Amino acid sequence: IADVYKWTIFKCGDIRWLGWRSFPFVITWDPKFPAIKGDEVEAAIQCIQPGDVLINRHDGYLSNTGIGGAMVHAAICVGSNHIIEAVSDDEGGVRRAHLIDILQSDKAMILRPKHLPKDAIVEVLSGLGEIVGCKYDIYFQFNSEDERSLFDVDPDGSRRKVKFCCTEVPHFAYIKHIDTLHLYRAVNPKFTAKVLRFFGFPVGEDLVTADMYIEAEFDIVWASKGCTVEWFKSMG
């Protein structure tokens, strides 16, 4: 009886009701984590540098299944412990946020581009702030070369037209160094993407996933405790 009582108290306390204003009015359990704790966040802040790519994962979300892979989100550090990332339009679209915002997750890694001198990193970051304010690309169209050309000609006008998904932001930043970093797009393998294209939705045919940054020419300079080789193997 005591165990049942304890289970009930804690489980009821973790229930999240999304409320009558939040369709579809579901009741769910609020996760107890993020699993990344303060000591890990401090270590990450001490080692990160401008130009580093951050990838992370929040466990337990249905969207993880749709995205696939181990890591599901990517951002780029622009200095002063801030990042630029693409999130939903409700959260601001392409935005500048604090590093801690992305580290409040269950698993995360910091990746540093190889073979690029410091002046190349400075150039990469010099105009990246111009994409802040762009909308989120729900169709995952990785046309970074065309987007870069548009911003070179008309930054203000492009901000109203160009859209980004999360893993596209670092890809856009390093578009002139794709060959050096071996950060090449791959065919979108998702069956759902093919179905959506069949019905006329302009879903991108190739993309860069968060996991592909690990496989490209980047050094892992920090990883949270949950990012073990065994875990990555279990995620395929």
Side-chain angles (χ1 to χ4, degrees), residues 143-191:
N143 48 353
S144 300
E145 294 88 351
D146 296 337
E147 292 166 343
R148 181 69 270 173
S149 298
L150 288 172
F151 272 98
D152 288 341
V153 174
D154 181 16
D156 292 333
S158 298
R159 191 177 297 111
R160 294 189 295 270
K161 295 183 292 185
V162 176
K163 300 179 180 181
F164 294 91
C165 61
C166 69
T167 54
E168 189 180 8
V169 171
H171 186 263
F172 172 84
Y174 284 112
I175 191 61
K176 296 181 180 179
H177 305 280
I178 292 301
D179 291 332
T180 301
L181 297 175
H182 294 178
L183 191 58
Y184 303 117
R185 288 170 288 236
V187 175
N188 188 344
K190 291 292 182 180
F191 175 74

Side-chain angles (χ1 to χ4, degrees), residues 18-58:
L18 297 184
W20 64 270
R21 294 182 178 179
S22 302
F23 182 82
F25 327 116
V26 298
I27 296 176
T28 183
W29 270 271
D30 190 13
K32 291 180 178 295
F33 299 107
I36 299 175
K37 302 305 181 184
D39 58 337
E40 294 183 87
V41 172
E42 287 184 350
I45 290 175
Q46 290 174 6
C47 80
I48 196 166
Q49 295 180 6
D52 288 352
V53 173
L54 295 92
I55 56 177
N56 78 334
R57 177 189 181 91
H58 292 271

Side-chain angles (χ1 to χ4, degrees), residues 168-222:
E168 189 180 8
V169 171
H171 186 263
F172 172 84
Y174 284 112
I175 191 61
K176 296 181 180 179
H177 305 280
I178 292 301
D179 291 332
T180 301
L181 297 175
H182 294 178
L183 191 58
Y184 303 117
R185 288 170 288 236
V187 175
N188 188 344
K190 291 292 182 180
F191 175 74
T192 52
K194 297 178 181 178
V195 172
L196 288 170
R197 283 197 296 272
F198 177 80
F199 285 102
F201 294 94
V203 177
E205 295 185 8
D206 52 18
L207 47 69
V208 174
T209 66
D211 287 346
M212 289 169 66
Y213 286 94
I214 306 175
E215 299 165 352
E217 290 295 295
F218 288 82
D219 284 321
I220 300 172
V221 297
W222 175 88

Side-chain angles (χ1 to χ4, degrees), residues 50-235:
D52 288 352
V53 173
L54 295 92
I55 56 177
N56 78 334
R57 177 189 181 91
H58 292 271
D59 290 332
Y61 285 88
L62 183 61
S63 60
N64 293 350
T65 304
I67 296 171
M71 297 298 191
V72 298
H73 182 68
I76 185 168
C77 178
V78 292
S80 302
N81 292 332
H82 278 75
I83 60 170
I84 289 181
E85 63 176 347
V87 292
S88 70
D89 289 341
D90 290 340
E91 298 180 65
V94 179
R95 67 180 184 180
R96 179 183 170 97
H98 198 279
L99 171 63
I100 290 178
D101 291 343
I102 199 171
L103 293 175
Q104 290 179 329
S105 54
D106 293 304
K107 294 175 180 68
M109 303 177 80
I110 297 175
L111 310 172
R112 186 161 298 154
K114 300 179 182 179
H115 319 306
L116 293 184
K118 188 173 182 179
D119 59 341
I121 300 295
V122 172
E123 181 184 1
V124 163
L125 300 178
S126 61
L128 194 58
E130 65 194 12
I131 72 172
V132 172
C134 290
K135 298 292 186 180
Y136 187 83
D137 185 2
I138 60 173
Y139 295 120
F140 307 103
Q141 294 181 338
F142 279 75
N143 48 353
S144 300
E145 294 88 351
D146 296 337
E147 292 166 343
R148 181 69 270 173
S149 298
L150 288 172
F151 272 98
D152 288 341
V153 174
D154 181 16
D156 292 333
S158 298
R159 191 177 297 111
R160 294 189 295 270
K161 295 183 292 185
V162 176
K163 300 179 180 181
F164 294 91
C165 61
C166 69
T167 54
E168 189 180 8
V169 171
H171 186 263
F172 172 84
Y174 284 112
I175 191 61
K176 296 181 180 179
H177 305 280
I178 292 301
D179 291 332
T180 301
L181 297 175
H182 294 178
L183 191 58
Y184 303 117
R185 288 170 288 236
V187 175
N188 188 344
K190 291 292 182 180
F191 175 74
T192 52
K194 297 178 181 178
V195 172
L196 288 170
R197 283 197 296 272
F198 177 80
F199 285 102
F201 294 94
V203 177
E205 295 185 8
D206 52 18
L207 47 69
V208 174
T209 66
D211 287 346
M212 289 169 66
Y213 286 94
I214 306 175
E215 299 165 352
E217 290 295 295
F218 288 82
D219 284 321
I220 300 172
V221 297
W222 175 88
S224 63
K225 295 175 182 177
C227 294
T228 63
V229 173
E230 290 74 21
W231 177 77
F232 272 103
K233 287 182 177 178
S234 71
M235 299 300 294

